[in-house]
Amino acid sequence: MSKYFPASPIIMMFMIILLSSIELRGQHRHDHLLIDAQPLFQRIDLEVENGTLSKEEAILQKFYAGLQPNRLEERFLELRSEPIKCLTPVMVEYWSYRDQMNSVIVDEIEQMISLPHSDAEHSYLSPDGNFIIYYNTTGNDAVPPEVTNEMGVPDYVVQTAFAADSSYRHQIETLGFKDFIKDEPYQISYMSSGSLYGFTVSSGTTSRIEINSNFEGFPPNTHKSGDQIGALYVTIAHELKHASQYEINRLDRSKDTGKVDWIEMDATLMEEVVFDDVNDYYNYIMSYDSEREVWDRSKPRNNSIFGKPEIATPGAYSHVTWMIYFYEKFGINFWVQVWDDIDNDIRTKTPDRELLTFLEVIDRVLASKETSLIAEHLKNHKWHMSSGPDYSGYDFGFSDHENYPSSKFKESVQLSPNISTIVPNQRLSPFGASYYDLNPSSSSLGQPMVTLESDINGVGVGVVGFFIDGSVKTQISMNPNSNIQTVQTTWSWKEIADFNVVVINSKLNMVANYDLEISSITPENDLITQNYPNPFNPNTSIVFALNDRKDVQIDVYDTIGRKVATLVNDRLNSGFHRITFNGSGLASGVYIYRIVTDETVISKKMLLIK
């Protein structure tokens, strides 16, 4: 037995699991460009760190990579193989350092990103009148020449206008994200760089976007009209979300909400929200098998949550599924509210008050939904842990979980029958997670209990049980003020087909060391636990245990002895059981719940606050 664990696991069952906020101030992440930047940008940044390339030359090389690849230094050419999703992060980096850069380099960059009107042969106003699209039919930036419409406008341009109008209607007019269109139509133009999707750049009082002129040879997607149109559509949705962000925080990375990882995750999320049939983001969460022409769900990308859950969120494109979790669970209005709160926070900023971080804003919005960031971060990882082909027969997690990759488990643990199994000396990075696949013995008896003890507070644990009958059940323990967490399930080992455990570190700046213990518990006495949460509104859970099959009654009374509810009046099997009490029809105050069996009578108090 590890030195961390108490003598009796039954005692641990009585811990009150409190979901509350944690300190979100102070990002643990360094001010780097991206955790999952393509190898070329990582190599350029490494050269800066090693002192073999100046910061301003590094920024120039990144612009070359996106816009003029023929001018890239020879030492970087071999790494320019993967497409560049978005050059906006480089634009943000440039804006941050422009005042410190050599004027010659600044002039060169400004020329590369200058307004292309003088070179454009044609323009096209979108049907809704919100976008003016500048394009060429000859030269390097020429769009595909196919024309099937009566206007004589290239189909590619017409599709661009459709994507822009559709994305604007959905993002701005329907959902209510910040509007970016001023008195004049918003400007869209094309560039010929072979492997750059697009970028957003400031223009007067607003911004404008440039996108690839053909998207030939780009990674695959699932759009019915083909990869080219699919890439065009999601790039428009992606860059227009940057345009909306720009109106709020000017894409200023000195603000936490303007940092590259967050703005790229958010813009990539919008691809799925607006054009959910494209799924271009699959390329950032798993590998593509070009021979079989399918995504390989057994090979998650190393920087995705599926491939390496230990990496802290945010993570630009590869962590987009972290945001998709909140979108699917709470609806897209969740993210609208987040950005509204960011906008209000910036507009009402005073000299004596710091701006909220992105995570602080998320936590505030979650508090309005009677939950918290750390609770949802833990549940978020349960969804990730339970994705992929192995769990395709179960209805749990992401709506697209069957098409997502299988997650990497830190360990696969073989459990001994009816003997506690210790997984000792585990280590977890700040705001990271670890997944464990537990394999029970066919002769295991009792009900599973998982206990975690860490050297710091705020390390949470969640369990997911996949049952033989096809059902899925989950439980969590997340007390940010305790270094011990316990999940006592009400499940039977003999009914479980698969049993997984996720551990998260809720701290942003502290590494966690911990031990896990997996036990099979059979209660020796009839018991009832303190309800959780307590205080509550309106629902709370109560766990009770029976040492044998017997009759049991659980009633709820007010403080003057009147019975207000009967929760259980039945003959139940031995083991742990969980019930829910709903106090929505009652007034605020103290209530008493009581269990009665042939061996015991136990009463406890709970507090309803409305």
Side-chain angles (χ1 to χ4, degrees):
M1 175 72 71
S2 164
K3 67 181 185 300
Y4 289 144
F5 292 100
S8 172
I10 295 293
I11 296 175
M12 297 302 303
M13 183 185 65
F14 290 92
M15 292 176 57
I16 301 175
I17 311 301
L18 172 65
L19 293 176
S20 64
S21 62
I22 60 172
E23 181 183 354
L24 303 175
R25 177 71 60 184
Q27 291 281 26
H28 61 282
R29 300 172 54 77
H30 51 71
D31 189 24
H32 207 53
L33 180 59
L34 296 173
I35 68 162
D36 61 342
Q38 66 168 43
L40 171 59
F41 288 174
Q42 290 177 339
R43 168 67 183 279
I44 291 174
D45 287 335
L46 182 62
E47 295 280 356
V48 175
E49 292 177 11
N50 292 338
T52 56
L53 191 68
S54 69
K55 183 67 177 180
E56 58 187 7
E57 284 289 345
I59 293 174
L60 181 61
Q61 289 297 313
K62 291 174 183 178
F63 275 109
Y64 284 160
L67 299 173
Q68 297 183 10
N70 59 311
R71 301 184 64 184
L72 197 61
E73 285 190 21
E74 185 175 353
R75 55 178 161 166
F76 301 130
L77 285 174
E78 62 184 79
L79 294 173
R80 197 186 182 280
S81 56
E82 294 186 12
I84 299 172
K85 176 65 176 176
C86 180
L87 204 63
T88 303
V90 180
M91 204 72 62
V92 170
E93 188 179 24
Y94 166 62
W95 292 334
S96 298
Y97 287 96
R98 180 168 48 190
D99 293 343
Q100 307 169 42
M101 294 172 62
N102 183 288
S103 60
V104 174
I105 293 179
V106 170
D107 289 343
E108 185 173 358
I109 292 174
E110 290 294 332
Q111 188 171 357
M112 277 191 281
I113 63 176
S114 63
L115 209 59
H117 292 182
S118 58
D119 297 330
E121 300 169 349
H122 309 281
S123 65
Y124 174 64
L125 187 65
S126 70
D128 286 358
N130 288 321
F131 298 91
I132 183 73
I133 302 168
Y134 296 96
Y135 67 96
N136 293 317
T137 54
T138 61
N140 292 333
D141 296 330
V143 298
E146 291 80 12
V147 177
T148 60
N149 58 79
E150 297 178 354
M151 301 172 292
V153 178
D155 293 343
Y156 191 81
V157 176
V158 174
Q159 293 282 12
T160 300
F162 165 79
D165 280 343
S166 298
S167 187
Y168 180 81
R169 284 196 301 267
H170 194 63
Q171 292 189 43
I172 309 303
E173 296 180 344
T174 300
L175 300 179
F177 285 108
K178 187 80 170 182
D179 199 351
F180 52 84
I181 293 181
K182 307 299 184 181
D183 296 332
E184 300 293 331
Y186 191 85
Q187 300 163 6
I188 300 175
S189 54
Y190 301 99
M191 44 80 187
S192 60
S193 180
S195 62
L196 170 61
Y197 282 79
F199 64 92
T200 302
V201 60
S202 62
S203 179
T205 60
T206 182
S207 58
R208 61 179 180 83
I209 68 173
E210 291 193 34
I211 59 173
N212 198 281
S213 59
N214 56 55
F215 286 104
E216 292 179 357
F218 275 65
N221 55 66
T222 61
H223 195 264
K224 62 182 179 181
S225 296
D227 297 342
Q228 182 187 42
I229 296 302
L232 171 66
Y233 283 8
V234 296
T235 301
I236 293 290
H238 184 107
E239 299 304 333
L240 292 191
K241 189 59 171 71
H242 281 326
S244 179
Q245 297 164 352
Y246 182 85
E247 296 302 317
I248 294 175
N249 59 25
R250 283 301 188 258
L251 300 180
D252 179 1
R253 73 174 186 172
S254 67
K255 302 179 177 71
D256 184 75
T257 59
K259 288 183 177 177
V260 164
D261 284 314
W262 286 123
I263 65 173
E264 287 302 327
M265 281 175 65
D266 180 60
T268 306
L269 166 69
M270 202 50 51
E271 301 175 17
E272 174 69 359
V273 172
V274 179
F275 297 111
D276 63 353
D277 58 343
V278 176
N279 297 314
D280 187 79
Y281 73 94
Y282 282 1
N283 294 296
Y284 304 104
I285 63 174
M286 56 186 156
S287 299
Y288 186 76
D289 187 331
S290 56
E291 292 185 2
R292 295 188 297 138
E293 297 185 342
V294 295
W295 281 276
D296 190 340
R297 292 178 293 166
S298 68
K299 294 182 179 179
R301 292 284 186 183
N302 287 336
N303 285 321
S304 72
I305 295 175
F306 304 98
K308 197 168 184 180
E310 293 84 1
I311 296 178
T313 298
Y317 320 111
S318 62
H319 279 209
V320 62
T321 47
W322 191 86
M323 281 190 160
I324 290 176
Y325 165 84
F326 293 97
Y327 162 47
E328 292 196 358
K329 182 170 183 182
F330 298 106
I332 192 57
N333 283 336
F334 173 85
W335 289 114
V336 175
Q337 186 176 348
V338 166
W339 280 101
D340 282 348
D341 282 10
I342 292 172
D343 189 19
N344 182 67
D345 187 48
I346 293 174
R347 286 188 293 103
T348 59
K349 171 75 170 67
T350 58
D352 60 343
R353 179 178 65 81
E354 292 186 33
L355 289 174
L356 296 172
T357 67
F358 206 95
L359 289 176
E360 285 174 327
V361 177
I362 291 174
D363 196 41
R364 290 206 329 182
V365 175
L366 288 171
S368 70
K369 301 180 182 299
E370 299 182 354
T371 183
S372 68
L373 173 63
I374 55 174
E376 297 307 322
H377 186 55
L378 178 53
K379 295 173 185 177
N380 195 324
H381 275 285
K382 287 197 299 183
W383 281 29
H384 282 85
M385 180 179 65
S386 305
S387 293
D390 289 346
Y391 306 106
S392 60
Y394 296 94
D395 184 17
F396 177 73
F398 294 105
S399 62
D400 209 14
H401 72 97
E402 293 184 2
N403 295 319
Y404 283 173
S406 298
S407 288
K408 292 280 185 69
F409 286 89
K410 186 172 184 178
E411 286 192 33
S412 181
V413 182
Q414 184 63 48
L415 303 179
S416 301
N418 308 318
I419 300 176
S420 293
T421 300
I422 305 293
V423 185
N425 305 322
Q426 302 296 290
R427 184 178 176 85
L428 186 54
S429 58
F431 215 54
S434 293
Y435 304 159
Y436 298 86
D437 181 24
L438 306 184
N439 303 299
S441 167
S442 59
S443 59
S444 292
L445 301 175
Q447 295 169 295
M449 182 175 82
V450 176
T451 306
L452 176 148
E453 185 166 359
S454 174
D455 60 347
I456 64 172
N457 293 344
V459 179
V461 62
V463 299
V464 181
F466 299 90
F467 288 78
I468 296 171
D469 64 2
S471 63
V472 180
K473 297 178 182 178
T474 74
Q475 287 182 224
I476 67 169
S477 176
M478 184 64 253
N479 184 346
N481 302 312
S482 175
N483 70 322
I484 299 175
Q485 312 287 347
T486 297
V487 175
Q488 172 60 68
T489 74
T490 57
W491 316 333
S492 171
W493 279 119
K494 63 183 180 181
E495 298 173 350
I496 298 174
D498 204 353
F499 186 76
N500 297 333
V501 173
V502 57
V503 177
I504 67 157
N505 180 1
S506 69
K507 300 299 183 182
L508 298 176
N509 296 287
M510 300 177 68
V511 172
N513 299 284
Y514 63 92
D515 292 351
L516 276 178
E517 180 185 30
I518 301 93
S519 308
S520 297
I521 303 300
T522 301
E524 298 177 356
N525 302 299
D526 297 344
L527 304 166
I528 193 164
T529 70
Q530 185 64 52
N531 64 300
Y532 165 75
N534 188 41
F536 67 99
N537 178 29
N539 295 316
T540 189
S541 293
I542 300 170
V543 173
F544 63 97
L546 305 175
N547 62 4
D548 198 358
R549 179 174 173 78
K550 62 180 61 179
D551 294 326
V552 58
Q553 183 161 340
I554 300 177
D555 298 312
V556 179
Y557 300 87
D558 62 19
T559 52
I560 61 174
R562 293 177 300 187
K563 184 189 295 185
V564 299
T566 295
L567 304 182
V568 178
N569 185 9
D570 203 354
R571 187 171 184 83
L572 299 178
N573 290 328
S574 64
F576 293 92
H577 302 267
R578 181 183 299 271
I579 54 176
T580 299
F581 173 58
N582 184 308
S584 57
L586 301 175
S588 297
V590 174
Y591 291 87
I592 299 165
Y593 59 99
R594 183 177 68 182
I595 182 173
V596 178
T597 71
D598 60 356
E599 292 187 11
T600 190
V601 176
I602 303 174
S603 297
K604 290 184 179 293
K605 294 180 180 180
M606 56 184 172
L607 177 60
L608 173 62
I609 298 179
K610 293 187 174 181

